[in-house]
């Protein structure tokens, strides 16, 4: 829904199930040099209102380099101001980490001799859930498990995993080498690829918050099947 460029009215779409929402990622097209004011009207009903305090939306013209936009929250409305330097701008809650980049990451690290990819299972939307194993498997070493993006809207978690993987596998990184001398790593870069692709904040394709599934997981709510 839209009125004028000084009052573009938007609403965030809830996750499946309707319980959670906060994540957004959209494209705005307009005239170079013009200022556009975007008002997200249902921000006051979002899942984590404290998240709007001192919050600044991110934006990009090339979808590679991200910067902050002037953003304010008042009376349940989130207002984002964008003055266009190009005709099209991408605006998001956090810098997105796409499913395509996720697949590129897995493909890039698998060629390293210390890396093995293991297929853990298939998600409800029939996407692979992949484990990255790094190390020689020596029994005397510690085993370190790291998982990311049970909440798919927390995209910074997979950015961290990307940096961690490349640091561990960089032969010139002294810290990475020391860690691999002492430990084997078992890393799941994205625990919730379905929610990531669907643009969810916290849930998967079934509307399940996977962070609450550890006690009593199920094939119907968590994975289509598990290896």
């Amino acid at each position: 829904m839209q009125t004028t460029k000084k009052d573009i009215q938007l609403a965030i779409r809830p996750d499946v199930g309707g319980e959670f929402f906060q994540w957004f990622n959209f494209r705005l097209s307009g005239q170079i040099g013009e200022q556009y004011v975007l008002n997200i009207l249902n921000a006051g009903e979002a899942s984590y209102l404290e998240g709007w305090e001192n919050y600044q939306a991110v934006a990009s013209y090339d979808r590679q380099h991200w910067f902050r936009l002037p953003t304010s929250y008042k009376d349940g409305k989130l207002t984002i101001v964008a003055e266009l330097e190009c005709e099209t701008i991408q605006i998001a809650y956090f810098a997105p980490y796409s499913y395509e980049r996720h697949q590129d990451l897995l493909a890039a690290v698998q060629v390293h001799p210390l890396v093995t990819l293991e297929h853990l299972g298939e998600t409800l939307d029939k996407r692979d859930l992949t484990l990255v194993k790094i190390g020689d498997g020596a029994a005397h070493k510690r085993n370190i498990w790291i998982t990311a993006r049970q909440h798919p809207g927390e995209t910074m978690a997979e950015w961290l995993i990307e940096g961690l993987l490349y640091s561990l596998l960089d032969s010139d990184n002294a810290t990475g080498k020391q860690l691999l001398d002492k430990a084997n790593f078992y890393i799941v870069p994205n625990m919730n690829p379905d929610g990531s692709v669907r643009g969810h904040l916290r849930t998967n394709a079934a509307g399940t918050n996977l962070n609450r599934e550890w006690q009593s997981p199920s094939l119907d709510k968590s994975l289509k099947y598990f290896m």
Side-chain angles (χ1 to χ4, degrees):
M1 45 187 173
Q2 177 178 348
T3 52
T4 70
K5 64 184 179 182
K6 294 296 184 181
D7 183 20
I8 300 174
Q9 299 180 6
L10 305 169
I12 303 173
R13 182 180 62 189
D15 294 6
V16 168
E19 182 178 359
F20 303 107
F21 71 85
Q22 194 138 5
W23 169 261
F24 57 85
N25 181 17
F26 61 90
R27 184 176 63 184
L28 171 68
S29 295
Q31 295 180 324
I32 296 174
E34 290 289 339
Q35 186 181 85
Y36 295 83
V37 179
L38 302 97
N39 292 303
I40 298 180
L41 302 182
N42 64 344
E45 303 166 28
S47 300
Y48 184 59
L49 295 185
E50 292 85 350
W52 300 134
E53 295 178 8
N54 301 314
Y55 169 77
Q56 302 287 291
V58 300
S60 177
Y61 291 110
D62 59 8
R63 305 210 306 180
Q64 297 294 322
H65 302 91
W66 295 84
F67 56 92
R68 300 286 179 175
L69 290 176
T71 307
S72 60
Y73 175 71
K74 184 178 181 181
D75 298 330
K77 180 173 67 177
L78 189 73
T79 299
I80 304 169
V81 179
E83 188 168 324
L84 297 191
E85 297 178 8
C86 299
E87 292 179 343
T88 300
I89 189 172
Q90 196 81 17
I91 301 173
Y93 181 47
F94 297 131
Y97 197 101
S98 70
Y99 186 62
E100 185 68 21
R101 189 179 185 104
H102 167 77
Q103 292 177 308
D104 287 343
L105 177 63
L106 296 176
V109 300
Q110 74 169 346
V111 300
H112 194 283
L114 287 179
V115 172
T116 303
L117 300 187
E118 182 175 334
H119 178 63
L120 296 180
E122 187 177 79
T123 68
L124 299 177
D125 279 345
K126 298 184 177 180
R127 295 185 176 90
D128 292 340
L129 189 64
T130 305
L131 169 68
V132 181
K133 298 192 290 187
I134 307 176
D136 55 18
H140 69 276
K141 294 183 178 181
R142 293 182 179 273
N143 295 319
I144 298 177
W145 281 82
I146 302 173
T147 62
R149 291 188 82 178
Q150 282 188 139
H151 290 163
E154 296 166 358
T155 54
M156 72 290 287
E158 195 161 6
W159 285 108
L160 182 148
I161 292 296
E162 178 180 306
L164 172 63
L165 288 173
Y166 286 139
S167 294
L168 287 173
L169 300 177
D170 181 357
S171 59
D172 295 326
N173 189 308
T175 301
K177 186 176 185 304
Q178 288 179 342
L179 288 170
L180 290 177
D181 286 342
K182 297 178 180 179
N184 300 301
F185 285 81
Y186 299 84
I187 301 173
V188 183
N190 191 333
M191 292 282 286
N192 193 344
D194 290 350
S196 303
V197 172
R198 287 169 174 258
H200 288 182
L201 174 71
R202 291 186 184 172
T203 67
N204 67 359
T208 300
N209 182 355
L210 295 180
N211 202 34
R212 301 292 182 267
E213 283 290 290
W214 291 96
Q215 184 69 29
S216 302
S218 69
L219 294 177
D220 292 335
K221 289 185 175 181
S222 302
L223 285 176
K224 185 177 175 63
Y225 69 84
F226 193 79
M227 299 294 289

